[in-house]
Every structure is written in C-alpha cells, then in structure tokens.
Amino acid sequence: MHDIVIKGGRVVDPETGRDEMADIAISGDRIAAIGANLGPAHKVIDATGLIVAPGFIDLHAHGQSVPADRMQAFDGVTTALELEVGALPVGGWYEAQAKTARLLNYGTASAWVFARKAVMIGLELKPGEAPISVMGRGFDDPRWSTDAATEAQASEIVALTRKGIDEGALGIGIPAGYAPGAGAKEMSLICDLAAETDTPTYTHIAQMSNIDPKSSIEAYVTLIGLAGATGAHMHICHLNSTSLQDVERAAAIIAKAQAQGLRITTEAYPYGTGSTVVSAGFFVDPAFSARTGTGYDAIELVTTHRRLDGIDDLKQVRQADPSALVLWHFLDTEDNPRHRALLDVSVTYPGGAIASDAMPWSQPDGTPYEGDEWPLGPDKTAHPRSSGTFTRFLRQWVRERDAIPLVEAIAKCTVIPARIVESCAPLFRRKGRLQPGCDADIVVFDLATIADRATFAEMNLPAEGMRHVLVNGQAVITDGVLDSAAAPGRPIRRGDA
C-alpha cells in the first residue's frame, strides 16, 4: 500500500514533457508510480481541476529560517538555497540550520566575499551567523570592498573559499557588486577553483550602470571572459536588477556566449524593485543617479517605508545601521510600459530560472525575526518577493498575459534550477521532476486562483492558490492550510546523491 496517492490532477513534468491527467503514488519520500489505478493508499489527495508539478527550487533565498520557509511554502518552494552570498564557515552554517525546524530543503554556497572580509580586514566569521547580517559587518573598514588583494591575500581568500566547498557548499557565492575592488587576477583564481571542483559560481555582477565606463555591460563581458578563460560555470544572479535599463543588450550578449558553448546560466525575479543592505557601496557612488537612472528617492527603508532624500540622508542611515534593509525601485513596472517590457526580457529569457532573492524577515527594530509566529504579523517586513515570487510569475506571465506556456513556466521554477546545481550535488537529478524514483517534493495548485498577495505596504501576506505542498513526501500545506508542526526539510550538501 502506498503512503499517498494524488488523484485526478493535471500532471506536468517539464523534463519529459508529460502534461496529462494522471495519478501519482508516493511511498516514503519518493514517487513510486505515475499513471492510473495505482492501488490503495493511506492518504488520498483529490487533485481534480488542479495542476500537479514538481516543487519549486529557489536558487537565491536569503531568508533561511522557519518564517521564511513558511512564506515560501505558500509560494510553492520546496527547496530554498542561499547561493548568491553563501556562508562561511559552511560547516557551522549547516550545524546551525540543523537545530531549527526547517520546512524546506536547504543548502548554501561558500561565501567568497566573507573570505575577503576575513583575510583583508580580519573580520571574525561566527559559525551560523545569518549571511545578510555578515554582509552588513565590516562597514567601518571598507578595504575588503574597495581594495585589490595582494598575491598572498588572494591565495588565502581562495583557500578559505575552498574550505567552504570541502565542508559541503553547493557553489561559490560571488556578490562582486559589493566588492568592486576585487581584481581580475583574484577572480580568475576563484573561477579556477570553481572549474577544478565543477562547482557553479553565483555572481552578482561587479557593476550596475547604464553608462560606460564601469557599466553593467562591461561587467557581463568580464564575467563571460572569466567563463571562457577558466571553464567555470558562471551563473548570473537577478538579470533584471543588475542590468537595470540595459537588459536587452545584456540578454543579447549572454545568448551569444551561450551559443558558443560557454557555461553561463541566469535567473530573474518578477519585480522591478530590488532589496539589499543600505551599506551597499554602489549607493554612495557620486554618479549613482546618472548611472542607474534613479534618484535617492527610489530607495526606501524597509522598516519605516521612508524614502531617502539624498546622499547625505543615505550616509546618515548607513552610519546608524549599516545592516538596515532597503528597497530600491529601479523600474516603474506599474505605470511605465517600457519598464514592463524590460522586465519581460529577463523573466522570459529562454532557459533562465526564476529565483526570488527572498530577503530575511525583520522585526520593527530591523533585527532578524526567526520566531514561530504564524501567521506573521504586519510588523514583520522583508520584500514582497519573499512571499510571492513564483505565484506572481504564474499569475501574471502564464494565466493573465499568456506570455509563456505553462510547461515552460514550470520548467523555469523546477528542472532548470535543478540542472544548474546538479554538477556538485547529483541528488538534484531527483528534484524538479515528476518521475518514478524522484523525490516527492510536489506542489498541487489551482491555476485559476494562484496569486501573490504581498505588497510593499503589506509584505506579510502569504500567496494563495497552493492547495497542497509536499516536501520529501510529507505535507507542509494541506487544503491551503499550513501544518505549523511540519519540519521535513533536509540539508543538501556537495556530493549528496
């Protein structure tokens, strides 16, 4: 007898192209069979009129906590990975996560920028500290960000990054935009390490600007050159936000590089607003407005919703709390048709993944919230993408606009991200797919009602339309209701098969 049978749903497996009415039998944590008349089960889920798909894999999730997992489960996510920034020490991060009741599968990259902070300014790396918190530290000594490493320092940075890989990291996080002083020699050594270990890099490009010199396009050309020179798999994070208003040119050169066989992949999230720490160095560039096409009034403090009124205001906020989270409204997708078209380029990029860049949940004083409250109160803040990235994508681009076919859209959320990570963790060959023997990470949703609900005024509203969400064969959402006691999430480390 099977543990669970999901009956009568429209089963979509993007890898095989399956798109048909069928039942799915689950035994333990794996899919046992797909078809009709699969026999009895201890539990039957009626999926009549609903879509049954692989659980979504988020390559770019900074939340990494119980409240973050709960919100992302309503967004269809079953595996949440911290790959753009990463963690150090990696072993300590996994140990800390194992002490929490994680709903979702989880993993991290090795944090190159933290290795830089440790080597260049002696920053103490505390095991288990939240990566976003570490990003805000070292503000008072910016050499880690602005200076090129000496040959000896570069060697130490590579060694620390390698240690993270040895401890199970799923990639190398390279948020180069936060350390623009890093030189080409250092980056080539990091990419040599990535190629040697067949470990993808997850890169926030070094510059975000619509104008030369130091434009986003220059940064993309550099990244492509690193892929060609070293053989590293270079994954480009949030194509939408780092390309700004040059995304069409960026997409064109990425496509040409891919056509030449270079190992380059990318992702995007379906918003024209980004989020980061207020201490991010690119905000204090004297040419910030000219380079990005936005003024300082496009930067909003997450906890108070106050817009900044100039660079002096920014510097005061940075000095008071360098880890404070801000929203950056770099595109006006509500009222500007041209900006909506630019966002489309990144979201619909062929073969590109959808990834949320979900931010951690914060308390009113700006400190991280990692408690057990459910539902989250309105005083908890993050970014709407922390609640509704994948459901927003399915609502707007699939159901409302018919801009992308359903099977292709589901591939962007499942098998495409799985393939990006599977070179260093073969376990991902069982994820992002609905096939016998694959992991029972499954979502059952109503395409007619699926929707993001979170807004910039009310970030704490979970998405709707996910009727059932299973992680490793265990229900975390049943009939649209969260099981607050569920904790089936598992760590995923390098080499896991």
Side-chain angles (χ1 to χ4, degrees), residues 46-285:
D46 182 4
T48 303
L50 304 176
I51 306 296
V52 184
F56 302 160
I57 298 169
D58 191 353
L59 299 172
H60 195 155
H62 296 303
Q64 302 298 321
S65 66
V66 172
D69 279 3
R70 289 172 172 175
M71 277 296 194
Q72 288 211 282
F74 280 93
D75 204 24
V77 175
T78 56
T79 299
L81 306 174
E82 165 58 273
L83 299 180
E84 180 216 28
V85 173
L88 272 183
V90 167
W93 184 87
Y94 277 109
E95 289 173 7
Q97 293 301 321
K99 297 175 183 177
T100 64
R102 294 295 301 266
L103 275 73
L104 311 182
N105 302 311
Y106 57 92
T108 187
S110 183
W112 159 79
V113 81
F114 296 174
R116 226 173 185 267
K117 289 186 176 190
V119 170
M120 297 186 71
I121 65 171
L123 189 75
E124 179 188 0
L125 300 178
K126 304 171 185 177
E129 185 176 6
I132 289 295
S133 297
V134 186
M135 285 296 290
R137 293 206 289 128
F139 167 74
D140 55 340
D141 186 351
R143 289 175 297 152
W144 64 269
S145 174
T146 59
D147 291 6
T150 65
E151 187 171 338
Q153 287 173 330
S155 179
E156 288 184 64
I157 291 167
V158 172
L160 268 179
T161 306
R162 181 187 291 274
K163 190 171 188 295
I165 293 173
D166 292 342
E167 291 177 357
L170 298 173
I172 300 174
I174 306 181
Y178 296 85
K185 289 177 68 175
E186 177 186 344
M187 297 314 304
S188 72
L189 293 172
I190 287 290
C191 290
D192 278 348
L193 172 63
E196 173 198 336
T197 57
D198 202 7
T199 302
T201 68
Y202 296 86
T203 301
H204 176 131
I205 59 170
Q207 298 122 212
M208 295 182 293
S209 171
N210 298 317
I211 58 175
D212 282 328
K214 297 185 177 180
S215 65
S216 296
I217 299 305
E218 178 183 314
Y220 282 120
V221 170
T222 299
L223 180 146
I224 290 166
L226 285 167
T230 68
H233 176 172
M234 307 296 288
H235 178 78
I236 297 164
C237 295
H238 40 48
L239 174 62
N240 52 320
S241 61
T242 48
S243 301
L244 302 174
Q245 295 174 36
D246 268 344
V247 67
E248 291 162 316
R249 179 59 183 158
I253 63 173
I254 292 167
K256 287 180 180 179
Q258 290 174 328
Q260 295 175 61
L262 295 179
R263 301 176 70 192
I264 296 171
T265 52
T266 191
E267 68 182 50
Y269 56 81
Y271 295 86
T273 296
S275 187
T276 186
V277 289
V278 72
S279 55
F282 45 81
F283 286 144
V284 292
D285 184 336

Side-chain angles (χ1 to χ4, degrees), residues 57 59 414-422 428 431-433:
I57 298 169
L59 299 172
T414 58
V415 71
I416 287 174
R419 287 171 176 162
I420 290 169
V421 196
E422 65 187 26
F428 278 98
K431 294 191 180 294
R433 300 154 169 93

Side-chain angles (χ1 to χ4, degrees), residues 316-393:
Q316 288 181 2
V317 174
R318 281 164 53 98
Q319 191 64 44
D321 183 4
S323 297
L325 295 178
V326 295
L327 303 170
W328 178 23
H329 303 280
F330 60 89
L331 291 178
D332 179 8
T333 58
E334 296 299 319
D335 300 316
N336 188 320
R338 174 61 180 158
H339 285 192
R340 286 196 294 272
L342 291 176
L343 184 59
D344 276 355
V345 173
S346 59
V347 170
T348 65
Y349 184 82
I354 298 297
S356 71
D357 197 1
M359 302 303 289
W361 289 91
S362 296
Q363 303 184 90
D365 63 359
T367 58
Y369 177 71
E370 297 182 352
D372 197 45
E373 174 187 346
W374 187 260
L376 285 182
D379 60 332
K380 307 302 187 299
T381 55
H383 185 296
R385 69 192 185 204
S386 303
S387 308
T389 290
F390 297 88
T391 45
R392 180 183 181 89
F393 171 58

